[in-house]
Amino acid sequence: RAQIIPPSLVLIITADQLGKSVGDLYKGAFIPGFVLTGLYVGYILLVSFIRPTWVPALPKEARTIREDNGDSGLPSLGLLALLSTACAVVFAKTRPDATPTDEVIVVSMCVGVGIAFALSVLNKVTGLKLLSKMAERVTFVLIPPLGLIFLVLGTIFLGIATPTEGGAMGAVGALIMAVSRGRLSMRLLRQAMDSTTKLACFVVFILIGSTVFSLTFQGVDGPKWVEHLLTGLPGGQVGFLIVVNILIFVLAFFLDFFELSFIVVPLLGPVAEKLGIDLVWFGVLLAVNMQTSFMHPPFGFALFYLRSVAPTNDYKDRVTGKLTAKVTTGEIYWGAIPFVVIQIIMVALIIAFPNLVSGGLGKKAEVNTDNVQIEFQANDNTKPDEDPMAAFKDMPKDGEKK
């Protein structure tokens, strides 16, 4: 899900509240984000086989991209995807073992996408017709967004830019894309600036309120109460993680991730650190759990977004001419439940397999203190045969007068 795949606002706020690097949380969430995406895809594929009517295919009348002989061109698209994936995997195998996992994934993906784009351009320029129209269309449509993603993620993971600079590069890239497609207007630019300003003010006022709450809570020694309560739970780290995740899951029914991050996370971070839990790992775990707030009824924002675009009345499809039934709010709520369950499964997977997070952080440099040597630079006035420590030997000892 996008809420834990960088660049993620949830991870930025969580990192700030835990006092950790945003880049570390980005790296830690990289693998869990793709695992969660794979679980979503696997569920949809499973439903498509068991209940095909729940995920109907695009009507034949709407499939306008066809080859001259009437074929769909999907086999060519599949072969192109397999070829680019194979090239990316081969390139990843050539990387040194010390290369961080996230860097290997990002660079390898760029190599695979670049090969697919190069083949599509070559096919279009030369007219060899090695690729189908579908393969060309998909490649040319996906490359600009993927390039924009690389501007943000690639520069962060490769160490070229900080998260803030990566976000700025993404904004500039989006402006360039809009200009190149002729879709940038003052009205659109003003709308984007208004939305950004409103969101920033919203966050600032939540921050002010949470700060007042924190100061009041600390004034009555509230953090000590919470610490004594959570550290006294049975089960040690596991018991603490189970109780905390249940608490976050229940609060997410009524609070947005902003409130959870500014109010709850600062209370849990010190306790987790005292129990010996890595705060980067803990932050990613909380972020996966907090993103369920987007799909919880009754206040899930994602459910409201779906409600705003789903038809409220029966309508006649313009392409097929068939009468299509409306989508009720209850159907949206029930449809979100499997995805919430998948997110809970992801939380359990992170607890059961901590390397899902720590594996993306790369190996820390190990320093052998036995091999550390301290060297002193000799004074230029010291003669070659003179002991450089002689000046220190003549100094008076403690209690002696010179």
Side-chain angles (χ1 to χ4, degrees), residues 19-352:
K20 292 296 178 180
S21 167
V22 177
D24 287 342
L25 261 75
Y26 276 4
K27 294 177 182 179
F30 199 79
I31 296 177
F34 280 101
V35 172
L36 185 58
T37 303
L39 291 176
Y40 287 156
V41 173
Y43 167 73
I44 295 173
L45 288 176
L46 183 63
V47 170
S48 66
F49 285 111
I50 299 176
R51 291 285 190 273
T53 56
W54 290 5
V55 282
L58 190 68
K60 292 184 178 180
E61 296 85 351
R63 304 175 193 175
T64 57
I65 303 178
R66 292 282 180 177
E67 300 300 307
D68 296 336
N69 58 2
D71 292 337
S72 62
L74 292 178
S76 176
L77 177 61
L79 289 175
L80 181 62
L82 287 175
L83 178 61
S84 59
T85 302
C87 293
V89 171
V90 171
F91 177 81
K93 295 293 184 182
T94 61
R95 297 295 87 197
D97 295 336
T99 306
T101 304
D102 58 317
E103 182 178 331
V104 173
I105 294 175
V106 171
V107 177
S108 300
M109 289 176 61
C110 292
V111 171
V113 171
I115 290 175
F117 182 71
L119 290 175
S120 298
V121 171
L122 181 64
N123 184 75
K124 188 174 183 64
V125 172
T126 60
L128 296 176
K129 295 185 178 181
L130 297 175
L131 299 176
S132 63
K133 295 179 181 178
M134 175 66 75
E136 281 190 4
R137 181 71 176 271
V138 170
T139 304
F140 290 137
V141 168
L142 287 180
I143 289 300
L146 290 175
L148 189 61
I149 293 173
F150 175 76
L151 273 178
V152 180
L153 296 185
T155 53
I156 294 174
F157 287 127
L158 295 179
I160 301 175
T162 63
T164 303
E165 294 168 347
M169 293 180 69
V172 173
L175 288 174
I176 293 175
M177 286 177 55
V179 171
S180 63
R181 296 185 177 185
R183 297 182 179 179
L184 183 64
S185 62
M186 288 302 299
R187 180 184 174 211
L188 182 63
L189 190 60
R190 181 177 179 179
Q191 180 182 359
M193 295 177 67
D194 288 343
S195 300
T196 304
T197 304
K198 291 178 181 178
L199 180 61
C201 293
F202 171 66
V203 174
V204 168
F205 273 100
I206 291 178
L207 181 60
I208 293 174
S210 64
T211 303
V212 173
F213 169 80
S214 298
L215 291 175
T216 306
F217 197 67
Q218 290 177 4
V220 296
D221 290 332
K224 292 183 179 179
W225 297 356
V226 174
E227 181 177 335
H228 290 316
L229 174 65
L230 296 178
T231 53
L233 292 172
Q237 291 183 353
V238 177
F240 168 77
L241 292 174
I242 292 175
V243 171
V244 165
N245 280 283
I246 293 175
L247 175 66
I248 293 292
F249 181 77
V250 173
L251 290 177
F253 277 90
F254 313 102
L255 299 177
D256 186 41
F257 76 92
F258 280 114
E259 291 88 346
L260 293 173
S261 299
F262 287 129
I263 298 175
V264 180
V265 173
L267 300 177
L268 301 177
V271 182
E273 189 173 20
K274 188 173 182 179
L275 291 173
I277 299 174
D278 181 67
L279 290 186
V280 173
W281 180 88
F282 186 64
V284 174
L285 178 68
L286 292 182
V288 175
N289 198 338
M290 283 191 295
Q291 73 175 356
T292 59
S293 64
F294 289 88
M295 305 181 70
H296 277 164
F299 301 116
F301 285 111
L303 305 180
F304 294 155
Y305 298 151
L306 292 175
R307 177 68 280 173
S308 65
V309 298
T312 55
N313 299 308
D314 297 343
Y315 69 99
K316 187 176 183 180
D317 188 76
R318 291 180 297 177
V319 178
T320 62
K322 298 179 180 179
L323 185 65
T324 304
K326 64 180 180 180
V327 179
T328 65
T329 303
E331 290 174 340
I332 295 175
Y333 281 2
W334 281 107
I337 291 177
F339 294 96
V340 175
V341 173
I342 290 175
Q343 292 175 351
I344 296 174
I345 293 174
M346 189 67 227
V347 171
L349 288 176
I350 292 177
I351 295 176

Side-chain angles (χ1 to χ4, degrees), residues 334-380:
W334 281 107
I337 291 177
F339 294 96
V340 175
V341 173
I342 290 175
Q343 292 175 351
I344 296 174
I345 293 174
M346 189 67 227
V347 171
L349 288 176
I350 292 177
I351 295 176
F353 305 100
N355 285 334
L356 285 175
V357 176
S358 57
L361 297 177
K363 299 179 180 179
K364 295 183 179 180
E366 297 182 357
V367 179
N368 188 354
T369 56
D370 296 334
N371 298 330
V372 175
Q373 296 181 355
I374 302 177
E375 297 181 357
F376 292 93
Q377 184 177 0
N379 192 344
D380 294 339

